[in-house]
Amino acid sequence: MKKIEVLALVIMSTAALVFALAPASDAAGEAVFEVESVEASEGSSVEVRINLTSNPGLWGMQAEISYDSALTLTGIESGGIMDVTTGPFDQRPYKLYCENKVADDTTATGILVVLTFQVSPGAAGALRVSMDNFDAVSYQQMEQVECISTPGEVSVGVRVVDVVLTPDVLTLRLGERGTIVANVIPSDAANKNVRWESNNTSVATVNNGTVVAAGYGTATVSATTEDGGKVDFCLVRVVSDEVPVTGVALNTDRVSMKIGESVTLAATVSPSNASNKNVSWSSSNTNVAAVTSSGKVTGVNNGTAVITVTTEDGGKTDTCVVTVSDDPGDVRVTGVDIDRSSVSLSVGDSITLKATVSPSDATNKNVTWTTSDGSVATVNSSGTVKAVSVGKATITVTTVDGQKTDTCTVTVSESGPQPSGDNTLLYVGIAAAVLVVILIAIFVMRSRGLK
């Protein structure tokens, strides 16, 4: 510190000597200084320039640099106009000493010094930096030069800690536009600027959050914050207008037939509004059972074959096992009947339907049970129907041999009538009630007769 003050005295003494020897002339003008204002983030390092915007011919000067307590001075560099003598950076205010040693360019303007500050963690707001308490002399006159300065500030905003994209999945159709919002956290962050990017511009392009579907497929759109480099992603799917197939189901999983007989399988594609319901049929053994493009299966030779239906859209499949037998002892099924054509149930109730296969001596009496709407009524392999919710459903029984069918309509209500069927218990109850009434009447009559 003492060395700097001695150096300053030397500068000022030399200036006085030159002033004494120099010829008299007009008084020097004003020297004007400007402290730049900059932006920074808490915990960061920042440079602040002090500019000399008007120079009447400075030869030497000293001044004090004051700065906010949230700033720590870590470096000073000369801008090239004047030589700078630096000292300990922990001075508050910092004393700056400058000398111009270039006699042929004493009125140069530009950057005087560049100050480097470290911004304290947690700092926020406008942190003032000023230059004042000048003592300056001119090169020609060696007289005091009046100096004025404009203070600056380091504007410290809140740092970005994260960014979240909304939505995280965006589905578009070809040519459509969609918007992704980048939510910078915290909401009062000083710098909310983000950089958008798509990893597959042939599928989706992005400009300031606006996405354009360019082709079918998927792309990942990212947003990266300028402050902190935080990043988040959004998956963009570009799909067609078609409704995709999700599955296919055959009306039965087993069929028995004789050589030369035929049965047509029915395939139901899901969902019901699928755009492409086309299916193809194949047989695992065409020497046993052949199948046409419409699902008609014909027995060729004794044995077993698996018939497969496959959807054109999505390749969904279902199968049916076909058994072909030409045993002359086999008695073929000619029909099947359910013991009732309709039934009414309350939610939660159940009833077992009975299926009678004809003729009674048929070789293969196996049957399968299905429901048209499992959300209303379900049915198991034994024909037991359970009411699930209010509505109507059709229960179908199908014979394995010959694919003969019959149906029963199930109506489900919240508190509807009990299942129709055997009314024996009802009749017994009514008879018992009538008997009780008769006995009471006889008792009353006898009682009156005694009186």
Side-chain angles (χ1 to χ4, degrees):
M1 184 66 180
K2 290 183 177 179
K3 291 181 179 180
I4 296 173
E5 291 178 348
V6 170
L7 179 59
L9 290 174
V10 171
I11 293 173
M12 301 310 294
S13 298
T14 305
L17 177 61
V18 173
F19 171 72
L21 298 175
S25 63
D26 295 335
E30 291 181 334
V32 180
F33 299 88
E34 180 184 85
V35 181
E36 284 186 343
S37 292
V38 296
E39 294 182 351
S41 301
E42 58 167 321
S44 66
S45 179
V46 63
E47 292 184 347
V48 177
R49 294 175 176 83
I50 298 179
N51 297 316
L52 176 58
T53 60
S54 178
N55 184 2
L58 287 176
W59 180 78
M61 61 160 282
Q62 67 177 24
E64 292 183 344
I65 298 174
S66 301
Y67 48 93
D68 192 280
S69 60
L71 297 174
T72 300
L73 183 63
T74 59
I76 298 178
E77 290 186 6
S78 170
I81 296 176
M82 303 181 76
D83 288 341
V84 177
T85 301
T86 61
F89 294 144
D90 58 355
Q91 301 177 69
R92 283 184 183 271
Y94 181 82
K95 291 186 177 181
L96 179 68
Y97 300 95
C98 300
E99 179 183 6
N100 189 344
K101 294 183 178 179
V102 185
D104 59 351
D105 190 17
T106 60
T107 60
T109 58
I111 300 173
L112 177 67
V113 291
V114 179
L115 310 175
T116 302
F117 292 103
Q118 182 69 31
V119 182
S120 299
L127 310 181
R128 181 183 171 90
V129 179
S130 63
M131 184 178 183
D132 41 35
N133 295 330
F134 293 93
D135 186 5
V137 294
S138 67
Y139 187 84
Q140 295 294 337
Q141 307 297 335
M142 283 302 163
E143 63 182 17
Q144 291 293 120
V145 176
E146 182 177 355
C147 299
I148 59 175
S149 70
T150 302
E153 61 184 31
V154 177
S155 297
V156 181
V158 179
R159 295 296 302 271
V160 171
V161 298
D162 201 2
V163 61
V164 178
L165 297 188
T166 306
D168 56 0
V169 177
L170 179 64
T171 301
L172 300 173
R173 287 177 172 77
L174 190 63
E176 281 187 337
R177 292 174 178 265
T179 301
I180 304 173
V181 178
N183 302 290
V184 177
I185 301 172
S187 59
D188 59 345
N191 183 356
K192 293 186 177 182
N193 294 333
V194 298
R195 183 182 72 257
W196 294 91
E197 187 175 1
S198 170
N199 74 337
N200 191 348
T201 55
S202 64
V203 172
T205 61
V206 61
N207 181 19
N208 198 29
T210 299
V211 179
V212 178
Y216 296 117
T218 60
T220 300
V221 171
S222 63
T224 305
T225 63
E226 283 186 358
D227 178 16
K230 308 300 181 181
V231 62
D232 197 18
F233 305 92
C234 174
L235 177 64
V236 179
R237 295 192 181 109
V238 181
V239 300
S240 68
D241 291 328
E242 296 184 350
V243 178
V245 170
T246 59
V248 62
L250 293 175
N251 59 319
T252 184
D253 60 357
R254 290 174 296 167
V255 169
S256 295
M257 61 175 60
K258 287 184 176 292
I259 295 174
E261 285 187 338
S262 297
V263 64
T264 299
L265 300 177
T268 302
V269 176
S270 300
S272 59
N273 63 337
S275 300
N276 182 356
K277 293 186 178 182
N278 294 334
V279 298
S280 60
W281 298 85
S282 63
S283 171
S284 64
N285 190 345
T286 55
N287 290 326
V288 173
V291 62
T292 67
S293 59
S294 61
K296 182 179 180 180
V297 181
T298 301
V300 178
N301 285 299
N302 292 334
T304 301
V306 177
I307 303 300
T308 302
V309 63
T310 306
T311 63
E312 189 174 281
D313 176 18
K316 309 299 182 181
T317 63
D318 196 15
T319 59
C320 174
V321 177
V322 176
T323 301
V324 180
S325 174
D326 205 25
D327 186 343
D330 287 347
V331 178
R332 303 309 307 276
V333 171
T334 58
V336 63
D337 294 299
I338 299 176
D339 59 342
R340 64 196 66 210
S341 60
S342 64
V343 64
S344 296
L345 300 173
S346 296
V347 174
D349 287 345
S350 62
I351 189 173
T352 300
L353 301 178
K354 296 180 180 179
T356 302
V357 176
S358 300
S360 60
D361 59 345
T363 302
N364 185 352
K365 292 185 178 182
N366 293 330
V367 297
T368 58
W369 296 88
T370 57
T371 178
S372 64
D373 192 344
S375 65
V376 173
T378 61
V379 63
N380 63 18
S381 60
S382 301
T384 299
V385 179
K386 184 173 182 179
V388 178
S389 63
V390 175
K392 285 189 176 183
T394 300
I395 305 299
T396 302
V397 64
T398 305
T399 63
V400 171
D401 177 15
Q403 296 294 287
K404 309 300 180 179
T405 63
D406 194 15
T407 60
C408 173
T409 302
V410 178
T411 302
V412 181
S413 60
E414 288 291 352
S415 57
Q418 294 300 313
S420 60
D422 190 352
N423 295 320
T424 301
L425 292 177
L426 176 62
Y427 297 149
V428 170
I430 293 174
V434 171
L435 179 59
V436 170
V437 172
I438 293 173
L439 291 174
I440 292 173
I442 293 173
F443 176 77
V444 171
M445 291 175 63
R446 287 183 176 179
S447 298
R448 289 179 178 177
L450 292 174
K451 294 179 179 179

